[in-house]
Amino acid sequence: MQNRGDSLELSFAVRWSTVGKYLGDLLVVVALLNTMPALVSLLANGLEAGLVYLVAVGIPAVIGISLGRLRPSPGIQPNEALVITSATLLAAALTMSLPFAYDGLHFGDAVFESISAVTTTGLSMTESVANKPVSFLFARSWLQWYGGLGIVVVSVALLVRPAPAIRRLASTENASTEFPVDVRAHARRVSVVYLILTGASLLTLFLLGLRPLAAITYTLSSVSTGGFAVDDASLAGLSGWMAPAAILLSAFLGAGSISWYYRRFWGTNERPTRRGLTTVGLPLMTLIIALALIGTLRYVGVMSWTQAIGHGVALGVTAQTTTGFTTTDIAALPAAAKALVMVAMFIGGDLGSTAGGIKLIRFFIVLRLFQRLLVRTTTPPHAVLTRRLGGRKLSDRTALDGLLVIALFVVTILLSWFVLLLYNYDPLNSLFDVVSATCTVGLSTGVTGPVLPEFPKMVLCVDMLMRRLEMIALLVLFYPRTWIGKRADIS
């Protein structure tokens, strides 16, 4: 039997050259992505503002080029891939926080804003966006857009690296996504679909008469299921119902499996991840939540049927897709409606999508395990029951991994909620905002804002990062044996 000492002998700390090399490559991509907000700032706000935004280009570029000269050891360990992914996301957030601070935010609030953006959350530290420059509004949505697709996925689509290394890196960007053997081709297809969704949404909003800034930012924020708006009233600030409906449709498509889209419309030979679940799960859950909200808002919130249907559908879509747009004051919702929204935010969107939450696949795993538990009570003790989900066998490891992630979500939410309770915030409202942050949604009851004390702000930042990095990656970053211990060359 292997003892603890033997297991520690088989564990290896990260190798600095490997981490540095691949981190450097990804930082160069971050620098390239950050050139877009710099150009917008230069054109819209003048030379000084443009130069400030160029800082977010120069810093990762210089560091990335310097680190890129390192020669990596053969292969790449799981902890190295997780460290690289975590560090890249943190670097993207920290570099953009400098221009955000220039645009009027306290530096701590600027860090929060950039983390909220790159994790596609949408919680904000701004009291009002009415007086914010174009560069700030665009940069937030742009961060959400490329954060939704994934910095590593973008990099894999652009960079030419050894296949085992890029496969390991890509699989850590979203641990719930199953990657095919040809990772680079997969990343490029995903990127093409993402661009098509973005272009279609942008064209639709232009045709509906939105001004350029609104059309661009709402497109970037909806496709990425991010939720940053250019009006303090979010979607309620738009006239009519067609533009909000188009934005919510874009968010709904973004919460669907991007991999499924290219398999469905390009006819690739890759096997679907879970047959049937992708096409049925998200629409069904959204419909259930929307109907429950309509009933709650009509009979508990004392709204008219017209108001209840409009707000119920909008809230159902924005919560289930974890987008964060809203058509009504969340703080004014009845407690039952807030509870329903929290359930939808916790479950989240589809596998391989830009949405947050635990993902629908893990929710279905729990339901299947519960069903199996009930079936077991009706069968003989020696009977062998095969767990299946979506037409495929559900392995013990898949089930265990799903339950582990859900448990980490619950623990993270409870601990973070306790912190807010220590500051005497309303229990239900504080729980709502914690769930929103942990599931990267962006809806708020008013707890999250500039007046929130610094420590709870930091806790919510960690919550947002934990979800975007699928919990484990951020824990690995702070695990001592990730950094301390013997190092090995692996092929």
Side-chain angles (χ1 to χ4, degrees):
M1 181 176 180
Q2 182 174 291
N3 57 35
R4 183 175 180 273
D6 293 334
S7 64
L8 292 179
E9 285 296 320
L10 295 176
S11 65
F12 300 103
V14 298
R15 296 159 298 173
W16 299 106
S17 60
T18 299
V19 171
K21 171 60 178 179
Y22 290 110
L23 177 59
D25 288 345
L26 297 185
L27 287 179
V28 170
V29 176
V30 170
L32 292 173
L33 292 169
N34 285 350
T35 56
M36 185 63 75
L39 289 174
V40 171
S41 179
L42 184 65
L43 294 173
N45 302 112
L47 180 60
E48 180 182 342
L51 291 176
V52 172
Y53 271 83
L54 280 175
V55 172
V57 178
I59 292 177
V62 171
I63 297 176
I65 292 172
S66 300
L67 291 176
R69 295 175 180 175
L70 296 173
R71 298 186 60 182
S73 302
I76 185 169
Q77 299 169 183
N79 57 352
E80 291 169 343
L82 292 168
V83 165
I84 293 165
T85 303
S86 302
T88 303
L89 193 71
L90 287 170
L94 291 175
T95 53
M96 193 55 71
S97 65
L98 299 174
F100 284 176
Y102 170 82
D103 285 329
L105 292 182
H106 178 272
F107 183 73
D109 291 348
V111 172
F112 185 101
E113 199 84 7
S114 57
I115 289 176
S116 179
V118 80
T119 58
T120 71
T121 303
L123 290 172
S124 180
M125 286 293 123
T126 59
E127 294 181 354
S128 173
V129 297
N131 60 348
K132 293 300 179 185
V134 171
S135 56
F136 175 81
L137 299 175
F138 173 81
R140 294 194 313 169
S141 296
W142 178 255
L143 267 178
Q144 287 190 325
W145 186 78
Y146 79 68
L149 181 58
I151 300 169
V152 173
V153 173
V154 176
S155 304
V156 169
L158 297 176
L159 299 175
V160 179
R161 288 294 165 205
I166 64 171
R167 180 177 176 81
R168 179 79 75 180
L169 284 172
S171 65
T172 61
E173 177 71 10
N174 188 337
S176 61
T177 301
E178 295 181 8
F179 282 88
V181 175
D182 192 347
V183 183
R184 189 177 295 111
H186 173 91
R188 288 173 178 168
R189 289 168 184 163
V190 167
S191 301
V192 169
V193 173
Y194 199 61
L195 288 171
I196 291 174
L197 291 176
T198 303
S201 176
L202 183 60
L203 178 61
T204 301
L205 294 183
F206 271 132
L207 292 176
L208 289 174
L210 266 67
R211 66 186 192 278
L213 177 63
I216 293 170
T217 53
Y218 278 121
T219 290
L220 298 176
S221 294
S222 60
V223 172
S224 63
T225 63
F228 274 138
V230 294
D231 192 290
D232 292 331
S234 191
L235 297 187
L238 297 174
S239 59
W241 63 270
M242 294 185 67
I247 292 169
L248 290 174
L249 176 60
S250 178
F252 183 82
L253 294 174
S257 172
I258 298 178
S259 301
W260 181 84
Y261 292 148
Y262 74 67
R263 283 197 302 266
R264 175 68 178 81
F265 296 105
W266 274 270
T268 65
N269 294 323
E270 294 172 19
R271 187 179 182 183
T273 305
R274 300 290 176 197
R275 188 173 61 208
L277 294 182
T278 298
T279 55
V280 176
L282 183 61
L284 179 62
M285 286 302 304
T286 304
L287 178 62
I288 292 172
I289 292 295
L291 291 175
L293 282 168
I294 290 171
T296 302
L297 294 175
R298 174 67 180 89
Y299 292 108
V300 181
V302 198
M303 289 185 180
S304 66
W305 275 113
T306 301
Q307 291 173 321
I309 292 173
H311 294 312
V313 171
L315 273 176
V317 173
T318 196
Q320 194 64 61
T321 62
T322 72
T323 305
F325 292 124
T326 181
T327 58
T328 187
D329 182 9
I330 299 297
L333 292 176
K338 291 178 183 176
L340 287 170
V341 171
M342 280 192 283
V343 170
M345 293 192 300
F346 183 79
I347 296 173
D350 216 341
L351 181 75
S353 71
T354 64
I358 62 171
K359 300 288 186 170
L360 278 164
I361 186 66
R362 295 186 179 114
F363 176 68
F364 291 138
I365 286 174
V366 171
L367 293 182
R368 178 63 73 193
L369 293 177
F370 182 69
Q371 180 193 36
R372 186 174 182 272
L373 179 65
L374 295 178
V375 171
R376 174 60 73 183
T377 64
T378 67
T379 60
H382 59 273
V384 178
L385 299 178
T386 302
R387 295 189 300 265
R388 305 190 74 83
L389 185 65
R392 294 176 60 181
K393 184 177 179 181
L394 179 62
S395 67
D396 291 339
R397 177 168 182 176
T398 299
L400 183 60
D401 288 348
L403 293 176
L404 176 61
V405 171
I406 293 174
L408 287 172
F409 262 87
V410 172
V411 170
T412 300
I413 288 171
L414 291 177
L415 290 176
S416 303
W417 184 35
F418 180 73
V419 170
L420 287 181
L421 292 178
L422 289 176
Y423 286 81
N424 294 318
Y425 283 99
D426 176 79
L428 181 59
N429 289 342
S430 57
L431 178 61
F432 187 100
D433 277 37
V434 165
V435 173
S436 181
T438 308
C439 299
T440 63
V441 183
L443 294 173
S444 176
T445 58
V447 172
T448 304
V451 297
L452 189 69
E454 293 302 318
F455 184 64
K457 285 180 186 177
M458 183 179 69
V459 169
L460 293 181
C461 283
V462 173
D463 291 342
M464 293 185 288
L465 290 168
M466 287 280 281
R467 167 60 196 93
R468 189 61 187 87
L469 294 169
E470 288 286 344
M471 299 289 175
I472 300 299
L474 196 63
L475 296 177
V476 168
L477 190 64
F478 295 102
Y479 179 49
R481 290 197 63 83
T482 299
W483 308 99
I484 302 172
K486 68 177 184 178
R487 309 175 200 279
D489 285 333
I490 59 175
S491 57

